[in-house]
Amino acid sequence: MDRRSLIKKGAVAAGALLAAQASTGNSVAHAADKKYRWRMVTSWPPSFPILQTGVERFAKRVGELTGGRLTIQVYAGGELVPALGVFDAVSSGSVQCGHSAAYYWAGKCNAAQWFTSIPFGLDAQGMNDWFYFGNGLKLWEEVYSKFNLIPRPAGNTGVQMGGWFNKKIEKMSDFKGLKMRIPGLGGKVIGKAGAAVTLLPAGEIYTSLERGVIDATEWIGPFHDIRMGFYKVAKYYYAPGWHEPGSTLELIMNKKAYEELPQDIKAAIDIAAAELNVQMLSEFETKNAQALNELLKDKKIKILRFPEEVLKGLRKLSEETISEIASKDPLSKKVNHDFQRFKKELNPWNRLSEKAYYDFIL
Ligand code: CA
């Protein structure tokens, strides 16, 4: 081959390469230009601190991380769909994503309950361990797949409080006839102990407690409970929230909408969800601590712990309740089995790490 034809061949090859680069460049540019607009519905009231405000921060972060290629418009509970219509709205694809708590969907999907919190279950750290390095997220994806939903852990309340009581709880028999507002599995357990469980909407709890329609209520933790004013109408504030030791909040995405996204935007959502997961727990912990100090100093409320005997009794009833709901369908059985196995595996280490440390310093 002479020099001339070599140069010619080289020029052709270079030209072909340039053309290939140009066309790849074009398609990258095309995908990179495409803008996605999502709508997000939540179960929280407008501006509800920590929960709704956290979700709004998440949406903003996704916009920043994607350079505006995915914008998420957030709607609070009731603005677009009812607070408890989030699951159906995202599942059907009428909106692309939502923020809520999996245990609200127990009626549609029994196995969902383990992905928020179960009585005497894992705390926030344990839930994250299970999701990120155990089988938790894989199982959650499996449970939600037939609903066309992709879940991500996206926030945690930390250990909640046991609730506000106008009657002292010193032994298990004190639950007999107690009228308490407590939803979910906690309510089932208290019901087994002989309490009359009621489910009141948030707006009716205060006056019901004030008028003696109920003797007790649980809510969240000091920060949100102070805002509800329960310290003005209840004598005792009990710890710990055995029924919700680490309630995880969820980001749910419609599968079809999610699968249309390029890989880098999917990664940006994962990063923003993980950030929300960490920051929401930190915000809960910080603000609960500040609010508790306020209650301890300024309010005349008596803060008590459930006696050991009561916690043991509640744990026994919780185990019965969880076995019952786990036996309802094979998927719930599978999730519960993995959850319990994982918890058992964590226990010895938790006893020697955080518990041993806290036992000394606190
Ligand atoms: Ca609660």
Side-chain angles (χ1 to χ4, degrees):
M1 206 181 281
D2 63 20
R3 190 171 171 265
R4 199 185 174 84
S5 66
L6 251 184
I7 289 167
K8 206 174 165 192
K9 264 205 156 137
V12 170
L17 190 64
L18 274 176
Q21 275 171 344
S23 80
T24 319
N26 275 342
S27 73
V28 166
H30 184 72
D33 279 348
K34 182 155 183 193
K35 289 204 160 57
Y36 301 85
R37 298 174 70 87
W38 277 17
R39 294 192 299 174
M40 182 173 197
V41 290
T42 81
S43 297
W44 325 122
S47 309
F48 194 68
I50 307 184
L51 291 161
Q52 186 69 12
T53 54
V55 174
E56 279 156 12
R57 205 170 53 234
F58 161 82
K60 193 166 161 264
R61 287 293 278 156
V62 170
E64 285 169 1
L65 288 165
T66 61
R69 287 158 61 219
L70 173 58
T71 51
I72 301 177
Q73 173 89 43
V74 183
Y75 297 88
E79 286 180 349
L80 202 59
V81 301
L84 297 181
V86 171
F87 187 92
D88 288 344
V90 183
S91 175
S92 70
S94 68
V95 297
Q96 292 78 15
C97 66
H99 193 268
S100 191
Y103 62 7
Y104 292 147
W105 325 127
K108 304 171 198 293
C109 174
N110 188 52
Q113 299 173 84
W114 281 267
F115 304 110
T116 306
S117 191
I118 58 169
F120 297 95
L122 294 163
D123 66 2
Q125 178 65 58
M127 289 300 286
N128 286 334
D129 299 345
W130 186 51
F131 286 130
Y132 294 133
F133 289 92
N135 298 322
L137 183 53
K138 262 177 268 168
L139 286 166
W140 199 357
E141 286 175 338
E142 184 183 340
V143 166
Y144 272 15
S145 67
K146 71 166 176 171
F147 300 99
N148 300 314
L149 294 172
I150 309 266
R152 293 288 180 264
N156 201 300
T157 65
V159 182
Q160 299 197 4
M161 280 296 280
W164 300 85
F165 290 73
N166 274 322
K167 287 182 180 167
K168 258 194 183 170
I169 301 295
E170 286 168 331
K171 51 194 183 308
M172 281 303 281
S173 58
D174 291 334
F175 284 111
K176 288 214 166 70
L178 183 90
K179 289 169 284 178
M180 181 166 184
R181 178 260 169 211
I182 172 170
L185 291 176
K188 278 196 180 135
V189 171
I190 295 283
K192 269 184 198 269
V197 175
T198 58
L199 290 174
L200 295 169
E204 289 172 29
I205 306 174
Y206 181 92
T207 46
S208 301
L209 199 55
E210 187 180 30
R211 291 176 194 162
V213 177
I214 52 172
D215 306 307
T217 185
E218 73 85 60
W219 187 238
I220 309 176
F223 175 75
H224 288 94
D225 292 14
I226 278 190
R227 294 170 160 253
M228 294 290 274
F230 296 143
Y231 61 90
K232 294 180 216 159
V233 289
K235 288 184 201 153
Y236 313 110
Y237 194 21
Y238 270 94
W242 54 274
H243 59 301
E244 292 196 65
S247 294
T248 304
L249 289 314
E250 64 179 9
L251 163 68
I252 47 175
M253 295 172 280
N254 177 271
K255 197 183 262 175
K256 191 168 166 281
Y258 181 75
E259 279 166 5
E260 280 168 9
L261 298 175
Q263 195 51 43
D264 65 318
I265 295 186
K266 287 180 183 165
I269 292 173
D270 276 347
I271 290 167
E275 182 182 82
L276 176 60
N277 201 34
V278 171
Q279 289 188 348
M280 191 181 281
L281 176 63
S282 300
E283 193 174 359
F284 261 111
E285 293 290 276
T286 307
K287 291 184 173 167
N288 276 334
Q290 289 162 350
L292 177 65
N293 287 334
E294 195 183 320
L295 277 172
L296 287 168
K297 273 187 215 136
D298 308 336
K299 319 287 185 209
K300 299 284 168 268
I301 195 74
K302 258 211 164 98
I303 299 177
L304 302 171
R305 290 183 189 221
F306 291 116
E308 176 112 1
E309 183 210 316
V310 168
L311 287 174
K312 280 183 177 160
L314 291 171
R315 184 167 62 187
K316 191 169 166 284
L317 295 177
S318 296
E319 284 164 0
E320 284 173 28
T321 307
I322 291 158
S323 296
E324 281 162 24
I325 62 157
S327 67
K328 279 189 180 171
D329 59 276
L331 209 45
S332 296
K333 196 178 167 193
K334 183 177 169 182
V335 172
N336 184 48
H337 182 266
D338 191 76
F339 185 99
Q340 303 297 348
R341 179 199 57 77
F342 190 83
K343 184 168 179 283
K344 219 171 148 189
E345 197 173 276
L346 281 184
N347 282 344
W349 171 239
N350 286 344
R351 271 196 289 271
L352 283 178
S353 56
E354 293 196 27
K355 184 175 186 303
Y357 180 66
Y358 282 148
D359 280 349
F360 177 71
I361 65 153
L362 297 180

